[in-house]
Each structure stands twice: as C-alpha cells, then as structure tokens.
Amino acid sequence: MTGTPRVAVAGVHGHGASHVRHVARLAAAGRVRFVAVADPRPPTDGLLPEGVENFPDLGALLAAREVDVVVISTPIQTHVPLAELALRAGADVLLEKPPTASLAEFEQLSAVIAETGGSCQVGFQVAGSHAARTLASMVADGQFGELRGIGAVGAWVRTAEYWQRARWAGRRSLDGVAVVDGVVTNPFAHSTAAALMIDGSARANQVVSVETELFRANPIEADDTSSVRIRTTSGTTVLTALTLCAQVPGAEPMVIVHGSAGRAVLRYPSDRLEITLDGRTTVTQYGRDDLLENLLDHRADPATPLLSPLAATGGFTRLVEAVRIADPPAEIPAGLVRWQGEGPERRPVVLEVEKWVTRAAEELALFSELGAPWAQPHTEMEFG
C-alpha cells in the first residue's frame, strides 16, 4: 500500500491517552498522518496535536474522514462493534485487550476479518517482547526438557478509584451485555496470554479445559483475586494466580517455565529473562517491537506477519469464556482482609495473598488445593 497511513484513535481517556501520544510521536516522525480521534468526552487540553479533531463517536469520524488504521481503546463491551465498524469502512485495526468478552464475539469478529480481508492486531504487548519470543522458541526446541507446566503470578494494588473509573469497571455484565472486567481477563490478561504463547498454545483449539477459582475483596461484581488452571493440547498445565489486593505495590508480574532440564522466569513489562540450565543461571534484558508499528509494516508488506493477530488470542478468549460463565466470584471473608487508605485511595489487602499467588504459580496448584483460607471448590469448563 502506498502513501502515509492515516490513523485515528477511538477512546482517548485512560490507556487511550497513551495511544494518542504514541500516534502523535509517529506522526511527528512522518510515519503516519494523525487524522482524528473519537470520544464522547472531549480530550483534556494539550493532549491532541494541532489540527487533530475529536468526533463524538467512531461512526461520525469514519463518515467524515478517510482512515487506514483505527486504534480502539474503549470499554470492553464496545470492542467488537467498533472493530467491525472500522473493518467494514476499509480500515485495519489495533484493538486493545481483551479483544472480546465472549467466544461468540470472538467468532463474530473473526468472520468479519475473513469477510473484509482487513487486519486486526490485538494489544497484547507481550507478543512484541523479544524475551517472550525467545522463551517460546526455547520451549518449542525442548531446551527445558519435559515441561512440568507454566505458572504466571501477578500481585498488584488497585484502589477504589480504579473500580470507579467507569460504569463498566469491575462488572461481569452491563445492561445485559458481557463485560468480564476482572483481574484475570483485563489487568493481568497479559500473564495468561504470555503463558499460552510461550507454550505454543495461543489458538482456541489448543485449549482443552479451564478451571477457575474466582474471589473478590472489593465490593464489585468481578474477581480481584483468582487462580486459573488451563490444560492445552500439548499436555501443558498453565496456572495463573493473580490479585489486585496485594500488600505492597509495584511487584512485576512473572511467567515461570518449569521443565525437567531447567527453569525460566520472564518478567514483564521489563522484558527480563532469567534462564537456569545445567545449574547455571543467566539474566538477559531484551527489547520489544511496537504493535502499531508492526501493523503498519504488515500493511506495507503482507509478508511481514502480525505479532498479535486475533486468531492468536483464541486460547485466551476461551479463558474469558470460562470466567464469563463461571459462578460469580466468592467474597473473601472480612477477617482475611485489611482495609487501607481513605476515599478514592481506599483499598483492601488480602492477608498473605502474595504468598498464596507465588505458591500457586510455583506448584501449579489452585488456591483450594494449597489450602488458602478463603478458597472454595473450583469450576471447570471443558472444550470439545
């Protein structure tokens, strides 16, 4: 394709603001033309470069401007309608994660991509990580021997302000539409997506079953502290243990490969990879490729593969589906929670939660199997 690609951004608040700034930098470098943004709430002063207009919605933008690429960073339940709108208008899409809130939506969007011939890159930044891709290659080559499994652990802090950021925040559904905005499917979506990618099991038909244990300390619909176990067609167990109710903020998420011949720990977003083989440990810092620039390269030369195409997020979407249809998260007993802060900074701390999420990822066991004091029997979903 010739000419400088014309790029628009839908959703300019929250994470969307970082997309606006990134597109502005690419425009300043002459890589793209930043034509417009769409958001019902006008962006804050100074966010948009001069000459970039805001439209109240993506439909109005596409009716008024010719666009080659749309970056979509909007509420989860709007992802598929907006992506379809952009694809049918002839644009390619960079769609924030999670791409869809159900398997049905995933299949719907996949059909639109096939029909239109457009490209849809999903915003799993870990797919651009050289560290993650190196680890996936090592696993595929059998360098760690027989895999005992892959664990992922994440322990972050989120305050009341986070759950109050939008009507859909912390909701399982809104106005009858699936949202599935919990710790597993949104803040730590990268953890499971990375683990499946490293196992070579990123596609939908490579996930055999998903067991979920969903809990919450916050007064929300969705989960904020959960363990999930996935079994893949390769025979790998993937165990993710996650919380937004940690004692200490700032811990970096990890994906841990457990093999008979060695071990690896991937830390993100720093992209630091720790490899232990033959009793020797090496630590290497890697870079990453930008997903929007990769989409632009793919547009210019289709021989350049997308790093995170929609099809490569099907395994993760089976996890989303399992969380969506699972029983509502169980409330963690008040005696196991300590509240800190006031007003918008108020947040719960689940006692010893860092210990339990770490053990789960190391032992590849669910909270209930480890004897975590808040845990209850889990739900398993098998896929045909």
Side-chain angles (χ1 to χ4, degrees):
M1 299 182 183
T2 60
T4 304
R6 298 160 294 190
V7 179
V9 177
V12 303
H13 298 280
H15 187 52
S18 65
H19 283 296
V20 170
R21 289 188 285 268
H22 181 45
V23 175
R25 287 192 294 270
L26 292 177
R31 183 78 197 273
V32 303
R33 287 174 51 199
F34 195 171
V35 296
V37 301
D39 199 294
R41 292 183 295 145
T44 56
D45 291 342
L47 180 63
L48 296 186
E50 185 176 354
V52 176
E53 185 178 356
N54 178 67
F55 288 84
D57 57 65
L58 183 58
L61 188 159
L62 293 172
R65 299 284 187 270
E66 293 188 6
V67 178
D68 299 306
V69 176
V70 177
V71 179
I72 298 175
S73 185
T74 58
I76 297 167
Q77 69 273 20
T78 69
H79 283 185
V80 172
L82 293 183
E84 180 170 354
L85 187 65
L87 289 162
R88 293 198 183 283
D92 293 322
V93 171
L94 173 60
L95 180 62
E96 261 306 331
K97 57 79 188 166
T100 74
S102 69
L103 271 177
E105 285 189 341
F106 178 85
E107 292 164 358
Q108 175 187 342
L109 184 54
S110 297
V112 172
I113 292 168
E115 178 186 342
T116 61
S119 296
C120 180
Q121 177 103 290
V122 179
F124 282 115
Q125 295 99 330
V126 73
S129 165
H130 297 180
R133 300 212 299 270
T134 296
L135 184 52
S137 179
M138 293 179 70
V139 168
D141 290 344
Q143 294 188 43
F144 297 99
E146 183 178 350
L147 284 193
R148 185 166 66 87
I150 300 176
V153 57
W156 282 347
V157 167
R158 291 293 183 268
T159 64
E161 184 177 30
Y162 175 81
W163 301 112
Q164 296 164 5
R165 70 192 189 278
R167 284 185 66 227
W168 57 271
R171 300 292 295 269
R172 288 166 61 83
S173 64
L174 183 65
D175 301 329
V177 178
V179 176
V180 202
D181 179 40
V183 63
V184 176
T185 55
N186 195 2
F188 282 116
H190 300 288
S191 296
T192 307
L196 291 172
M197 169 188 164
I198 289 164
D199 187 52
S201 302
R203 293 179 176 266
N205 63 2
Q206 294 175 302
V207 168
V208 175
S209 66
V210 180
E211 298 168 85
T212 58
E213 292 192 346
L214 311 177
F215 306 96
R216 62 173 182 84
N218 285 278
I220 57 175
E221 283 185 359
D223 55 312
D224 58 37
T225 301
S226 296
S227 59
V228 174
R229 183 163 53 206
I230 299 170
R231 300 193 190 278
T232 72
T233 52
S234 65
T236 303
T237 294
V238 174
L239 194 294
T240 57
L242 312 164
T243 185
L244 297 175
C245 305
Q247 173 70 46
V248 180
E252 193 167 32
M254 297 184 295
V255 178
I256 307 165
V257 172
H258 303 278
S260 61
R263 167 187 171 95
V265 179
L266 168 67
R267 301 177 189 271
Y268 74 89
S270 67
D271 295 317
R272 187 158 58 96
L273 183 57
E274 178 183 301
I275 302 290
T276 302
L277 290 170
D278 300 321
R280 180 172 175 266
T281 299
T282 59
V283 180
T284 307
Q285 180 74 53
Y286 289 83
R288 63 172 55 184
D289 295 321
D290 178 74
L291 296 183
L292 177 55
E293 293 187 63
N294 170 247
L295 175 58
L296 296 172
D297 291 341
H298 176 74
R299 283 178 49 83
D301 180 8
T304 300
L306 291 176
L307 292 171
S308 186
L310 181 70
T313 68
F316 172 79
T317 305
R318 282 197 163 179
L319 165 67
V320 174
E321 181 76 356
V323 172
R324 183 183 72 84
I325 68 172
D327 291 338
E331 184 175 0
I332 296 174
L336 300 175
V337 179
R338 298 290 181 269
W339 288 87
Q340 298 181 355
E342 299 294 336
E345 296 302 313
R346 183 169 167 80
R347 66 181 180 91
V349 175
V350 175
L351 300 185
E352 296 190 311
V353 71
E354 285 94 339
K355 177 185 80 172
W356 293 109
V357 295
T358 301
R359 279 192 60 189
E362 290 287 357
E363 300 178 36
L364 302 173
L366 297 166
F367 290 150
S368 64
E369 296 167 340
L370 295 172
W374 64 81
Q376 299 174 9
H378 58 273
T379 299
E380 181 173 3
M381 179 177 183
E382 294 187 358
F383 295 91

